Every structure is written in C-alpha cells, then in structure tokens.
Amino acid sequence: MTDTPARLLSLLSLLQTPREWPGSELAERLRVSARTIRRDIDRLRELGYPVEATLGAEGGYRLVAGAAMPPLVLDDEEAVAIAVGLRAGAGHAIEGVEEASVRALAKLEQVLPGRLRRRVGALQSATVAVARGDGASVDPRTLTAIASAVAGPERLRFAYRARDGVASRRLVEPYRLVSTGSRWYLVAYDMEREDWRTFRVDRVSEPFATGVRFAKRELPMDAEEFVRRGLRGGGTYLVDVTFAGAGGGDVLPGWLRERVVAEPGSGVAESGAVRVRFESADSPDWLVARLGLVGVPFTVHGPEALVEAARVLGARLMAAQP
C-alpha cells in the first residue's frame, strides 16, 4: 500500500481492534516493510494516538487509553453519548444492535480516558432500561470482553450457568458472537469437551482473556446456522401468522418481510395479505405483543401457545376500552 494517508487510516483501524499486533503481522496485512510500519507508528504518535510498543518475541503494538481522547475521532461529549447508547443497546440485545455494535463499543471503551469512563459509569448506574421479553439482559462489559477475545483471537475463561442451573467453569476458543434480536450467543470451541458449543451470554459471568492466542478452527457451518440449530433443540417453535392488507409484505418490518412465504394458488398475495413462518425462542406473550406493534391486522395460525397468547392479549385490550 503506497498511499501514506490511506495506509495510516488502515493501520489505525487495525490498532483499534483490542489486541496486540506484532509488527510483522501489520507489515503483512498492509503489504509494506517492518521499517515502514515503525515509521507509520511514529506518525500516529505525532498525531496524538497513544500507541504502545512491547518488546520480546511476543511483543507488538496496541492502542491504549491516553490522557485525552485521540484527535480526529470523537470529542468528550460524543464519546460519552455513544458509549452509553451502545452499552444500553448491547445489554438488552435490541434488534438491529448486531456484533458490529459490540465491536465498536469494545474499541471505544479501550481508549476512553479515566474521567470519561467514570462519567459513562455514572450515567449508566443512574438510568433504568426496560427489559424485553423474558428480561434476559447482558452486562455490556461481558460482551466487550468476549468481543475482544474473539478479535484477538485469545482463549477465554468464564463461569457458566446452564439451563438447569448447574454452574461450571469453561475454557474456550471463542469464534463468533451472534445476536438473535432478543439474546446474544457465543459460538466457541470448548477445550475440555473437545467440541463446538453455543453459550447464552446472559448466563456467562467473570469472563477474562487468558492471553493465549490460537489459530481459529473451521466451524462446520455458518455461525448463525449453528446457533439456529442449537435453538431448534432447545425450546423453539414454528410461528405461522397471516397479515391482512400488508401490501404484499412491503409495509412489514424487515425481520418479518424476509420470512414471507409464497403459497401459489392460495390467493393470499392477490389480496395484499401475506403469510410468514419462522422459528422463535421468544416467549409467546412477548412475541404476540411484538406482532401487534407492527400495526397491521394479523391472524395467528399456530402454535397453540401463540394462539392462546393472542387471545388473552386481545381480551385484555378489549377490557381496557372505556
């Protein structure tokens, strides 16, 4: 990469990933010499970016927290606002807050000066967020610790509470964080069980990266599909709903629009109604309320638990009318 400004931006982007980068690996990534990397690191330091270097066979470079926010990134108010927003969103797995947002939070908190960390903590402790569904929330610090280990990649230790309440300690090679919209899951290779596992992040506590790096194994399938298959064996159900007057699906939100099924000859599409089918692990009460917020009349065909939840919610809403 011969364009110096572009190379510096690429180098800075790599350094903002919360890990230590050997100079040889940076040189390979940017296709330049180790000497060029050293010069570029000096340029970043001149611009105010606190790049720390460590010596030895395992030494390298990493971006650390400085006395002030690095220039050309964010001012203090923006940094606090973004950190608080990302913490709140990530902690409650709000739909649309995907793994990229957790990576952004990990990068931001890595370089926040102490005074801004205190402000973020104070704002967080002074606010209360309404939990979704079954109320399974995640500590953002847990998410960022896991995201950092995934990015490393570094082996990760943590305490885990299984569905039946049994507690255990795990040592894993973290692969990916996956959001289902209501929960976060970690896909990882369990070192003691010598197999791939899925962990609900709200059941993870005391995570810490061991500092031991590893070469990532090849997951037998896409991480999202791996999580979906695990959920199918753990209490999911098939949702079957028809939305009337949905304009062929155009007025539905994306999470429903992508699940519209075609039924040739049924006349559903011609009437503007659409039928959606998908698997869900959410509680029926929460899911039927979420369907109601779409703002389009709908009919629940199954499962029976969702039909009953729709009936109960409908009765409550009718009883609330004056």
Side-chain angles (χ1 to χ4, degrees), residues 278-291:
F278 59 93
E279 290 187 345
S280 176
D282 288 321
S283 70
D285 290 339
W286 159 248
L287 183 57
V288 76
R290 190 181 184 199
L291 293 172

Side-chain angles (χ1 to χ4, degrees), residues 42-264:
D42 288 339
R43 291 190 181 100
L44 288 178
R45 288 169 175 162
E46 291 170 1
L47 290 172
Y49 292 96
V51 181
E52 180 179 272
T54 56
L55 302 177
E58 296 295 324
Y61 301 98
R62 64 189 183 98
L63 195 64
V64 298
M69 286 297 298
L72 307 178
V73 180
L74 298 167
D75 62 31
D76 287 1
E77 299 303 322
E78 292 169 336
V80 170
I82 291 174
V84 171
L86 287 173
R87 277 190 176 192
H92 292 274
I94 295 174
E95 183 179 4
V97 180
E98 305 296 341
E99 185 186 353
S101 295
V102 178
R103 292 199 308 269
L105 178 58
K107 289 180 180 180
L108 180 59
E109 293 203 337
Q110 183 192 12
V111 296
L112 276 179
R115 69 179 189 282
L116 297 189
R117 287 177 185 271
R118 288 190 290 273
R119 287 178 59 186
V120 171
L123 281 170
Q124 193 74 18
S125 63
T127 58
V128 177
V130 177
R132 295 181 36 160
D134 60 4
S137 61
V138 177
D139 187 336
R141 291 171 295 184
T142 298
L143 274 175
T144 54
I146 294 174
S148 297
V150 170
E154 292 182 47
R155 287 180 180 172
L156 185 72
R157 286 190 182 276
F158 55 83
Y160 191 68
R161 175 179 51 81
R163 185 190 314 169
D164 58 6
V166 175
S168 62
R169 303 288 302 185
R170 302 298 182 98
L171 173 64
V172 304
E173 293 180 350
Y175 183 79
R176 280 286 301 277
L177 276 167
V178 177
S179 170
T180 64
S182 59
R183 293 194 182 107
W184 284 97
Y185 294 88
L186 168 65
V187 177
Y189 187 85
D190 192 309
M191 301 300 296
E192 294 181 2
R193 291 155 181 80
E194 298 184 343
D195 199 5
W196 291 97
R197 291 288 190 271
T198 299
F199 301 95
R200 263 180 53 174
V201 178
D202 59 285
R203 293 175 178 163
V204 170
S205 60
E206 305 171 33
F208 70 93
T210 64
V212 178
R213 293 184 184 148
F214 62 91
K216 280 196 173 183
R217 304 170 191 263
E218 184 176 349
L219 186 67
M221 66 191 72
D222 179 79
E224 289 80 358
E225 176 61 22
F226 186 77
V227 170
R228 281 195 292 268
R229 290 193 181 190
L231 291 177
R232 281 197 288 269
T236 62
Y237 54 90
L238 180 65
V239 178
D240 188 359
V241 178
T242 294
F243 287 88
D250 293 340
V251 301
L252 296 180
W255 68 277
L256 285 173
R257 192 164 54 246
E258 64 188 17
R259 288 153 167 165
V260 170
V261 295
E263 296 185 321

